[in-house]
Amino acid sequence: MENSRKVVVKASTEYAILIGRGILENLGEEVKKRIQPCKAAVITDTTVEKLYAAQVEKSLQEAGFTTCRFAYPAGESSKHIGTLSDMLEFLAEEEVTRQDIIVALGGGVCGDMAGFAAAVYQRGIRFVQVPTTFLAAVDSSVGGKTAIDLKAGKNMAGAFYQPHLVLCDVDTLDTLSEEVFADGIAETLKYGVIGDAELFEKTAGGDFRNNLEEIIETCVKMKRDIVMEDEFDTGLRQLLNLGHTLGHAIEKRSGFTITHGHAVAIGMHLIAKAAEEKGLAEAGLAEKIKIALKNNGLPVSIDYSAEEITEGVLKDKKRRGGEISFVFPTKIGHCEIVKIPVEEVTELARKALK
Ligand code: NAD
Ligand code: GLY
């Protein structure tokens, strides 16, 4: 589409990410440029369904696709095997075949679950990511991590499975609540801390809404570069987990009343404090991160004990036997991955909570 920004990912498959305004209106035509008209199963949640499902289906139909729709109750509490099972049964009942596609219309929960369904349904069908949250736009719609949560923890079952196309209509972000928008800011600041001090400066003040397309493109390009070097998360990609190990433990402990982005914000601040305490980070780093998070309406601390946080951390899928990898920020724009023995996690959590 004219006027949209295009980023190409060359991983195990090659695909384009289009970022722009008014994309939903032309979504069918954009999909048709890459995929012959077929049946498109639109997977969404009940909130996004009311806002955008009819428009997306109309656009697909006008381009020659037939459509069917599956909507699950909005929120992280739906990201489980029961919803996935219903989704797969729905695809089978609708006689979706390997020639057909899934269109994941929604935030990170939708993209992760619909992507997992695409990976396993009939051993894999093509899927298109249509991110409608800021978090999904800057992060989850790109890179092919798909998953559901298990009782034991976040994203414990899933697959690496790249989308065929990512269509990011920035207009859809206008209907987000401040809180949900802020979830994406946490991930954006994360990219800044990992490797782009300029991006951090641009977003730390909290006033960047007139610049969203550029910010999304910057984040997605960084993720693209990381994914192209380490698609299967064996090294470099772990940097994207900054704030996530503590964050996932917090999210889980809260019974998902604290959202992913908010938990990552807290996790990022806490791990920066621990990095300073351990002498790994430059002095004042945690304070800089704290101010940026607060400017953007994000939380920076939590009233859990070191033992409560440790319990969640030890169940994290990043654990390898007796060790678990943590991403420590050393300064804005640079982080290091350090393996911590499990018996030292509680002490680390104490440093973080100090
Ligand atoms: P989400 O998908 O639950 O969306 C948050 C809320 O916003 C929902 O209630 C949804 O209905 C609503 N919503 C979505 N789009 C809207 C719109 N345009 N207008 C109004 N409301 C809208 O959650 P999320 O924050 O987008 O994503 C969090 C999930 O993403 C977590 O499960 C996390 O683990 C996952 N994640 C995955 C990756 C990855 O690489 N795969 C990366 C980061 C996060
Ligand atoms: N959000 C973490 C990753 O994509 O690797």
Side-chain angles (χ1 to χ4, degrees):
M1 227 181 89
E2 279 166 38
N3 300 329
S4 61
R5 294 161 189 255
K6 183 175 174 184
V7 178
V8 175
V9 183
K10 292 179 182 166
S12 50
T13 58
E14 181 175 326
Y15 57 96
I17 303 157
L18 300 189
I19 305 151
R21 293 192 179 268
I23 288 183
L24 288 197
E25 247 173 71
N26 299 296
L27 182 134
E29 287 301 324
E30 284 304 329
V31 176
K32 193 178 167 181
K33 281 181 194 163
R34 297 151 179 99
I35 297 169
Q36 284 283 316
C38 57
K39 188 168 209 171
V42 176
I43 294 184
T44 188
D45 71 35
T46 44
T47 302
V48 180
E49 176 183 33
K50 290 187 198 92
L51 293 165
Y52 302 113
Q55 189 184 4
V56 163
E57 286 168 2
K58 182 168 176 277
S59 175
L60 284 162
Q61 287 160 9
E62 281 171 0
F65 293 84
T66 56
T67 62
C68 56
R69 185 194 303 174
F70 178 91
Y72 62 87
E76 182 76 30
S77 55
S78 283
K79 197 178 173 184
H80 57 68
I81 192 102
T83 313
L84 178 73
S85 166
D86 291 346
M87 215 177 263
L88 295 170
E89 294 291 354
F90 166 83
L91 294 170
E93 271 163 32
E94 288 291 332
E95 298 181 355
V96 171
T97 71
R98 294 183 85 177
Q99 301 309 312
D100 298 325
I101 58 168
I102 286 176
V103 175
L105 172 69
V109 170
C110 178
D112 279 15
M113 275 200 300
F116 192 22
V120 296
Y121 181 70
Q122 297 194 357
R123 300 201 182 89
I125 67 171
R126 297 165 296 180
F127 84 113
V128 177
Q129 287 271 21
V130 185
T132 63
T133 63
F134 189 38
L135 179 144
V138 295
D139 195 345
S140 63
S141 62
V142 175
K145 275 193 183 176
T146 73
I148 53 165
D149 302 333
L150 298 183
K151 288 198 185 87
K154 286 273 303 173
N155 300 329
M156 290 284 281
F160 289 96
Y161 193 68
Q162 302 293 337
H164 215 72
L165 175 67
V166 182
L167 294 174
C168 175
D169 187 339
V170 179
D171 283 339
T172 62
L173 308 186
D174 290 346
T175 51
L176 292 174
S177 66
E178 289 298 315
E179 211 192 3
V180 175
F181 187 83
D183 286 324
I185 304 179
E187 300 282 11
T188 304
L189 288 167
K190 174 193 81 175
Y191 285 109
V193 178
I194 291 170
D196 190 339
E198 199 183 318
L199 172 66
F200 185 86
E201 289 311 320
K202 273 187 193 158
T203 44
D207 180 23
F208 58 90
R209 291 255 186 154
N210 54 0
N211 217 4
L212 283 184
E213 281 145 280
E214 185 193 320
I215 301 277
I216 294 169
E217 185 185 20
T218 305
C219 294
V220 156
K221 279 184 167 165
M222 192 193 295
K223 184 154 186 182
R224 183 262 322 260
D225 292 345
I226 291 173
V227 167
M228 280 171 61
E229 203 167 316
D230 178 24
E231 179 174 356
F232 299 106
D233 209 5
T234 56
L236 186 71
R237 187 164 180 170
Q238 288 171 28
L239 286 176
L240 294 171
N241 291 326
L242 171 65
H244 280 58
T245 307
L246 297 179
H248 281 165
I250 291 165
E251 196 181 347
K252 175 86 191 341
R253 179 103 216 150
S254 79
F256 300 113
T257 55
I258 300 177
T259 59
H260 178 74
H262 280 57
V264 166
I266 298 168
M268 196 156 52
H269 176 234
L270 294 185
I271 201 68
K273 285 209 305 180
E276 271 191 61
E277 283 285 321
K278 282 173 79 68
L280 292 169
E282 65 181 27
L285 176 71
E287 188 61 19
K288 273 189 205 161
I289 292 174
K290 181 178 171 181
I291 291 168
L293 293 168
K294 283 190 152 186
N295 283 343
N296 281 290
L298 285 159
V300 294
S301 59
I302 188 83
D303 196 16
Y304 295 157
S305 68
E307 288 72 19
E308 285 169 332
I309 288 185
T310 303
E311 197 187 319
V313 167
L314 294 187
K315 291 208 171 98
D316 196 286
K317 65 184 178 326
K318 290 180 283 300
R319 179 173 172 178
R320 300 279 179 275
E323 290 180 327
I324 182 153
S325 292
F326 280 87
V327 182
F328 288 101
T330 56
K331 61 178 184 176
I332 300 297
H334 191 263
C335 289
E336 274 169 24
I337 302 164
V338 180
K339 289 193 177 106
I340 301 287
V342 290
E343 54 277 12
E344 290 176 22
V345 170
T346 308
E347 186 49 35
L348 180 81
R350 281 201 192 101
K351 285 189 165 78
L353 292 165
K354 221 171 174 182

